[in-house]
Each structure stands twice: as C-alpha cells, then as structure tokens.
Amino acid sequence: MRGKPRKLQLPERLRWNHNEWYRRRLLRQLPSGAGAALDVGCGLGDLARSIRADEVTAIDASARMIERASATSDRVRWIHGDVLTHDLERYDVVTAEASLHHLPLREGLARLAALTKPGGTLVVVGLYLTATWADRAVELVALPANAVVGLAKAVRGTGGSPHDPEMPIVTTAPTLPEIRAAAAEIVPGARIRRHVFWRYSLVWRAPEVH
C-alpha cells in the first residue's frame, strides 16, 4: 500500500532547500572531463550551471523555468521541451535532480538510461514517498534534524521557502521499493542509496559497447 505524502511542515522561516543540500553529493558522482552533459528537469538551472563538462544541455517542460534559467548563463544550451519526446542526443553525463517523479517512473528512467552513452554516467537525486517501516524509522531522525538545520540556516539568514513560487510542484512520488524494482529492470547494477532528508540517489554507469 502506498503511503501518504508528508503533511508536517516547519514554519516558513525554518524551511530550506533539500535539493541544494544534496547537490554537492550529486556533483561528486560525475566524472571529470566529461564531453557532453544533459540536466533533465533543470528548473532555474542551478545544477546545470554547476556541471563541469565541455557542453551542457538543460531541458525543462516549463517554458517559464527555461525563460528564467536562460537569462542566467549562455554557457548552457537551454531547451523547453518534454524529455520523453524531444529529439535529444546521447550524453556522457545525464543528471536529474528532483525531476524523475514528474515523469512516469519506468518510462522516465528508461528514457534517462537511453540518453546515456555507453560508458556514460546517470545520476538521479529524487524524492521518494514514505511508505515502509524503514522509511518511518529514518523519518524519526529526519524530522528533528530538519528542524535543527532549518534553525541554523535561519540564524545565518539563509533559510526561507525551499521552492521558488513559480516552480512546478508534484505532491506525490514513487516509493523506494518501486524505485528499486524499476532500477533492477531498467538500469541493472545501479547503486541506490536512501538519504536522510526524503531523498534517494541513483548512480548508474551505462555498459560499454565491445
């Protein structure tokens, strides 16, 4: 049975951006000296601008997000489009930060894998739905830790709303068992880790062609 989305929220001034918290971890998974990179569901482009590659492409289904992101950098090729249907190349690096849950899980993961060149790297940092006893045990740690980090950020003046008001929001996500099952079929050998603040990471290296 699927769990219910979390309803407990910190006061606005104590809220903060969990995606930003895990961005450094995501970037550390990327190979150095990548030729071409694709960021899927780029939003305002914070991750895309941080990727070190010869060529960086970023795609988002929201025209408004692409309009705003494209005003921040001309180093990135910004695309307004649906990643499932848009004509794209294959890339040495494919990233998806808090965007896979905007797509049908299996179709979305299969598309990300197909966009990854042989020998390339796919890195996802995503949201999962709290549904199992293990999820709830982690949440017992996450809830007070979330408040402590929020308080520390508020004291430093770096807290506040974790989402831009124009950012499209999806209020559900797949469960971790669903994510693991899909990954076993579509990206076998992918390394999946649960993280404290309602995120998981998936790292997959596409098999080389011999």
Side-chain angles (χ1 to χ4, degrees):
M1 180 180 296
R2 295 181 69 89
K4 295 180 179 179
R6 290 178 297 112
K7 295 182 179 178
L8 184 61
Q9 295 285 354
L10 291 174
E12 184 70 20
R13 66 187 183 87
L14 298 185
R15 296 176 67 194
W16 54 282
N17 191 320
H18 299 118
N19 298 328
E20 185 179 292
W21 179 269
Y22 288 114
R23 189 169 298 141
R24 273 192 224 171
R25 181 188 296 270
L26 185 159
L27 290 168
R28 284 198 299 268
Q29 304 302 319
L30 304 183
S32 59
L38 173 70
D39 184 37
V40 175
C42 64
L44 293 173
D46 295 330
L47 173 58
R49 290 190 298 274
S50 300
I51 294 173
R52 295 291 172 253
D54 294 339
E55 299 176 1
V56 180
T57 300
I59 186 169
D60 199 285
S62 167
R64 179 58 177 157
M65 291 296 103
I66 290 297
E67 178 188 6
R68 293 177 59 189
S70 63
T72 66
S73 173
D74 56 9
R75 186 180 72 86
V76 178
R77 177 190 177 207
W78 306 99
I79 298 175
H80 170 224
D82 182 345
V83 69
L84 296 178
T85 57
H86 198 87
D87 185 16
L88 295 164
E89 303 170 11
R90 300 182 82 183
Y91 301 84
D92 302 296
V93 165
V94 176
T95 60
E97 181 185 81
S99 60
L100 182 55
H101 68 288
H102 287 260
L103 305 172
L105 175 59
R106 278 178 166 76
E107 186 180 1
L109 186 56
R111 177 61 168 159
L112 297 183
L115 290 169
T116 307
K117 285 183 180 179
T121 302
L122 167 64
V123 183
V124 175
V125 171
L127 287 70
Y128 69 88
L129 192 66
T130 299
T132 69
W133 287 111
D135 297 339
R136 295 183 180 99
V138 171
E139 197 161 43
L140 289 176
V141 176
L143 287 169
N146 189 45
V148 169
V149 174
L151 179 60
K153 286 180 172 291
V155 168
R156 295 198 300 266
T158 58
S161 175
H163 301 293
D164 185 276
E166 292 189 318
M167 187 81 73
I169 301 296
V170 173
T171 58
T172 189
T175 66
L176 264 180
E178 290 170 338
I179 293 162
R180 292 184 190 279
E185 294 176 13
I186 298 164
V187 285
R191 185 172 74 253
I192 299 174
R193 293 186 56 189
R194 180 207 312 269
H195 300 291
V196 173
F197 296 121
W198 302 282
R199 298 293 186 275
Y200 71 92
S201 62
L202 180 154
V203 181
W204 178 68
R205 183 171 292 277
E208 298 274 5
V209 174
H210 300 288

